[in-house]
Amino acid sequence: MPSVVDNLICKNRKDVEVLIAEDKWYGVTYKEDKQAVVDAIARLVETGLYDNL
């Protein structure tokens, strides 16, 4: 995906707007990352950030 967007920008075919988010990002690159992300999302649900999950 990033290379596709970069290609379009370099060919002056598309402009891209970058949005800044203050929230923490949780990535799952390796299977060992999964539990930490599951726990973090569970905490967010408990605080009410994600109602109805």
Side-chain angles (χ1 to χ4, degrees):
M1 179 76 172
S3 61
V4 172
V5 174
D6 183 54
N7 190 21
L8 292 171
I9 293 169
C10 289
K11 292 180 178 180
N12 292 319
R13 294 184 60 200
K14 289 290 179 187
D15 291 326
V16 175
E17 181 180 353
V18 177
L19 303 176
I20 298 173
E22 299 294 328
D23 298 315
K24 182 169 175 55
W25 179 83
Y26 297 98
V28 182
T29 303
Y30 305 103
K31 64 181 179 180
E32 295 83 8
D33 299 334
K34 180 181 176 182
Q35 193 57 55
V37 175
V38 168
D39 294 343
I41 293 172
R43 286 190 300 273
L44 293 172
V45 170
E46 289 172 7
T47 66
L49 183 62
Y50 296 107
D51 290 337
N52 302 319
L53 289 181

